Amino acid sequence: MPLPKSFTQLINNLSILPGVGEKTAERYAYALCQKDKDEVENLADSLINFKKTIRNCEICGCLSDENICDICSDENRDKKTICIVEDSKSVFFIEKTKKYNGCFHVINGLISPIDGINPEDLNIHTLLNRVENEVKEVIFALNPSIEGEVTSLYIQKLLEKYNLKISRLSYGIPMGGEIEYLDPLMISKALEDRKVIS
Amino acid sequence: MPLPKSFTQLINNLSILPGVGEKTAERYAYALCQKDKDEVENLADSLINFKKTIRNCEICGCLSDENICDICSDENRDKKTICIVEDSKSVFFIEKTKKYNGCFHVINGLISPIDGINPEDLNIHTLLNRVENEVKEVIFALNPSIEGEVTSLYIQKLLEKYNLKISRLSYGIPMGGEIEYLDPLMISKALEDRKVIS
């Protein structure tokens, strides 16, 4: 006997989740058999509601339930400082630190010609509109990968003509890390970015 | 800025899946942002349809889209042989072998007083109604654990008064296994169940 049709349909549809293959989807489906109807319906409702509600902020591109996200519409945030990040995940991650009061700009990816991602595929042009106005500093918080460096350089070139302070997160040894286990590249970066303490 | 509300709701609801904590749910939610609206709606629909459709077969207790499952309603299956399994997963697993043409009986769990699972919580009474009629052989295919043995012994006692052939899957060394890596219990079981070959 093959699996019931409603069961295989669910397994197929669960496979759109990242890292979920047939085996995991099957495990999820068996577990959902045991769950209350309400719980499963809530999950289905929140999936539909999520897809209907979630959008990108018209100013910074961050995920939001509204057209303008909470940060861009917050009068108390410093609109003169923009932190450039790869994706919305980075925004929420940096927000957790509670140490940054500026705004963000989500470029939604990194330049990577090998994967067919060119500058025009990213949310960069809206950044230029933003910096034309009141912005004083742009902080790069992209991943320290080749793609991150390339993207950062590309945007820096575009920003040259504006009178801006441009910075990036410091590279260095991670807190709690042990120097002997770090790779030479990281140590050389930490040397370059060394901080005068007296 | 906290995560958008529709996002946190989805994360909370995804956590009903087994082994999915906040981190994994968050990963799933970010991935669902990138998916087409149709794909996510299909997933939501299949969740609702699944929960509405899936039920336990009235005869054997196996998961099915109908009141009577495909095996119990199949005229070509041998109704005189019943294989007793712990859950529907075992049914579909044994079916994959294509070596068994009898019927099944899903008892939906194993006796385990320590977890508060007593015989009356399992689907055992309907088995007795079934064996009263035309059944000739009952095969136990429960897990070779303490709970499996206890459950098997309990049901055997109940079946004593019927004139039945009672068997269980053979214990032994797994195909492809290496004897030196097996534990002594498994080897002693394989010795007990040894098969005469000439």
Side-chain angles (χ1 to χ4, degrees), chain B residues 7 24 32 34 47 55 63 73 78 115-116 119 130 175 187 190:
Chain B
F7 203 93
T24 311
L32 289 171
Q34 313 294 330
L47 278 165
R55 63 201 75 184
L63 287 176
S73 59
D78 170 14
D115 301 313
R130 291 179 77 185
M175 296 299 291
I187 300 204

Side-chain angles (χ1 to χ4, degrees), chain B residues 29-45:
Chain B
Y30 280 118
L32 289 171
C33 288
Q34 313 294 330
K35 295 285 171 189
D36 285 346
K37 207 177 163 198
D38 284 355
E39 281 183 293
V40 179
E41 281 178 359
N42 283 345
L43 173 56
D45 289 347

Side-chain angles (χ1 to χ4, degrees), chain B residues 56-63 84-86 88 104-111 117-130 151 154-155 158:
Chain B
N56 293 103
C57 167
E58 286 172 7
I59 297 176
C60 71
C62 184
L63 287 176
I84 299 181
V85 291
E86 181 184 340
S88 304
F104 290 90
H105 194 84
V106 179
I107 56 171
N108 261 326
L110 295 174
I111 298 171
I117 306 173
N118 296 310
E120 54 272 21
D121 301 320
L122 304 178
N123 181 28
I124 294 176
H125 58 284
T126 53
L127 172 69
L128 301 182
N129 298 340
R130 291 179 77 185
T151 311
Y154 178 86
I155 299 175
L158 294 177

Side-chain angles (χ1 to χ4, degrees), chain A residues 1-7 9-10 13-14 16-20 23 26-37 39-54 62-65 69-71 77 88-89 91-93 95-96, chain B residues 1-7 9-10 13-14 16-20 23 26-37 39-54 62-65 69-71 77 88-89 91-93 95-96:
Chain A
M1 178 172 71
L3 284 162
K5 210 176 145 207
S6 66
F7 202 93
Q9 260 173 356
L10 180 62
N13 285 318
L14 279 169
I16 65 169
L17 297 172
V20 174
K23 280 268 168 199
E26 211 174 299
R27 194 161 70 93
Y28 288 173
Y30 280 118
L32 288 170
C33 288
Q34 313 294 330
K35 295 284 171 189
D36 285 345
K37 209 177 163 199
E39 281 183 293
V40 179
E41 281 178 359
N42 283 344
L43 173 56
D45 290 346
S46 64
L47 278 164
I48 290 175
N49 180 47
F50 170 72
K51 210 57 196 174
K52 206 163 61 190
T53 313
I54 208 87
C62 182
L63 288 177
S64 168
D65 282 341
C69 75
D70 288 356
I71 293 177
R77 303 288 298 221
S88 304
K89 217 187 285 190
V91 172
F92 300 115
F93 204 75
E95 280 295 284
K96 275 187 193 164
Chain B
M1 179 172 68
L3 285 162
K5 211 177 143 206
S6 66
F7 203 93
Q9 260 173 355
L10 179 62
N13 285 319
L14 280 169
I16 66 169
L17 297 171
V20 174
K23 282 268 169 199
E26 211 174 298
R27 194 160 71 92
Y28 288 172
Y30 280 118
L32 289 171
C33 288
Q34 313 294 330
K35 295 285 171 189
D36 285 346
K37 207 177 163 198
E39 281 183 293
V40 179
E41 281 178 359
N42 283 345
L43 173 56
D45 289 347
S46 65
L47 278 165
I48 289 174
N49 179 46
F50 170 71
K51 210 57 196 174
K52 207 164 62 191
T53 313
I54 207 87
C62 184
L63 287 176
S64 169
D65 282 340
C69 75
D70 288 358
I71 294 177
R77 303 289 295 222
S88 304
K89 215 186 285 188
V91 172
F92 300 116
F93 204 77
E95 280 296 285
K96 275 187 192 163

Side-chain angles (χ1 to χ4, degrees), chain A:
Chain A
M1 178 172 71
L3 284 162
K5 210 176 145 207
S6 66
F7 202 93
T8 42
Q9 260 173 356
L10 180 62
I11 290 178
N12 289 341
N13 285 318
L14 279 169
S15 307
I16 65 169
L17 297 172
V20 174
E22 203 188 317
K23 280 268 168 199
T24 311
E26 211 174 299
R27 194 161 70 93
Y28 288 173
Y30 280 118
L32 288 170
C33 288
Q34 313 294 330
K35 295 284 171 189
D36 285 345
K37 209 177 163 199
D38 284 354
E39 281 183 293
V40 179
E41 281 178 359
N42 283 344
L43 173 56
D45 290 346
S46 64
L47 278 164
I48 290 175
N49 180 47
F50 170 72
K51 210 57 196 174
K52 206 163 61 190
T53 313
I54 208 87
R55 64 201 73 184
N56 294 102
C57 167
E58 286 173 5
I59 298 176
C60 72
C62 182
L63 288 177
S64 168
D65 282 341
E66 312 290 338
N67 287 338
I68 308 293
C69 75
D70 288 356
I71 293 177
C72 292
S73 59
D74 185 347
E75 290 296 320
N76 297 319
R77 303 288 298 221
D78 171 15
K79 299 281 190 294
K80 297 196 177 84
T81 312
I82 291 184
C83 178
I84 300 182
V85 291
E86 180 185 341
D87 50 28
S88 304
K89 217 187 285 190
S90 306
V91 172
F92 300 115
F93 204 75
I94 294 173
E95 280 295 284
K96 275 187 193 164
T97 66
K98 298 194 170 141
K99 292 285 183 196
Y100 178 68
N101 195 41
C103 292
F104 290 90
H105 194 84
V106 180
I107 57 171
N108 262 326
L110 295 174
I111 297 171
S112 174
I114 213 163
D115 302 311
I117 306 173
N118 295 310
E120 55 271 22
D121 301 320
L122 304 180
N123 182 29
I124 294 176
H125 58 283
T126 54
L127 173 68
L128 302 181
N129 298 340
R130 290 180 79 185
V131 295
E132 265 173 14
N133 296 315
E134 45 174 358
V135 174
K136 292 272 168 65
E137 179 173 3
V138 165
I139 305 167
F140 284 91
L142 302 176
N143 279 337
S145 59
I146 293 177
E147 290 81 7
E149 296 287 324
V150 168
T151 311
S152 174
L153 279 170
Y154 178 86
I155 299 175
Q156 272 175 57
K157 275 263 182 222
L158 295 177
L159 295 178
E160 257 173 11
K161 59 179 172 181
Y162 306 97
N163 186 23
L164 290 172
K165 181 178 165 192
I166 297 184
S167 59
R168 64 158 169 76
L169 295 191
S170 64
Y171 295 146
I173 51 174
M175 296 298 291
E178 286 186 47
I179 289 174
E180 55 183 319
Y181 295 122
L182 299 177
D183 62 286
L185 179 70
M186 205 183 290
I187 299 206
S188 65
K189 289 280 182 190
L191 269 169
E192 270 173 42
D193 277 13
R194 68 186 178 278
K195 190 171 173 180
V196 181
I197 44 182
S198 78

